């Protein structure tokens, strides 16, 4: 399972324990717009099938986090996430 990010990477990758493939993380030019394509190619080369989740914006920078938090403030059902972020002092870091 892979969640494609809008910038060409991914925001989530998951394996079943028995199908974990360390090679999926090798030879990747991290931080580029080819991360997802390269990862999918590695999986295909090793006869693995990937289920793609809906594309979303990932969080790579402080600015990305600020945009995410602003959207979260107005999202229904975000109380638990906001509570966690408050408790972990992540929100404080975005105001510095």
């Amino acid at each position: 399972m892979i969640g494609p990010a809008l910038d060409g990477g991914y925001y989530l990758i998951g394996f079943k324990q028995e199908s974990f493939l360390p090679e999926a993380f090798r030879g990747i030019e991290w931080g580029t717009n080819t991360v997802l394509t390269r990862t999918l190619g590695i999986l295909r080369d090793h006869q693995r099938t990937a289920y793609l989740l809906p594309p979303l914006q990932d969080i790579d920078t402080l600015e990305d986090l600020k945009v995410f938090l602003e959207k979260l403030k107005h999202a229904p059902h975000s109380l638990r996430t906001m509570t966690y972020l408050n408790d972990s002092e992540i929100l404080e870091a975005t105001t510095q």
Side-chain angles (χ1 to χ4, degrees):
M1 172 183 330
I2 298 181
L6 299 176
D7 64 2
Y10 53 83
Y11 60 87
L12 176 133
I13 185 168
F15 291 90
K16 292 181 180 178
Q17 184 174 356
E18 62 274 7
S19 67
F20 178 67
L21 184 67
E23 292 83 0
F25 303 99
R26 296 188 184 129
I28 303 289
E29 289 186 59
W30 299 105
T32 68
N33 63 356
T34 62
V35 172
L36 177 65
T37 303
R38 179 73 181 115
T39 303
L40 291 172
I42 292 168
L43 294 173
R44 190 173 37 258
D45 291 347
H46 287 84
Q47 289 76 47
R48 300 294 203 285
T49 302
Y51 173 76
L52 294 179
L53 298 170
L56 295 174
Q57 178 67 46
D58 62 347
I59 300 171
D60 293 322
T61 65
L62 182 57
E63 278 307 309
D64 293 342
L65 179 59
K66 288 178 180 179
V67 169
F68 170 75
L69 293 173
E70 190 57 36
K71 289 179 183 177
L72 195 61
K73 287 180 188 175
H74 307 290
H77 313 296
S78 65
L79 181 59
R80 288 184 184 171
T81 303
M82 291 302 290
T83 299
Y84 169 78
L85 293 172
N86 279 321
D87 291 348
S88 67
E89 301 177 1
I90 291 173
L91 292 178
E92 183 179 315
T94 64
T95 60
Q96 298 177 3

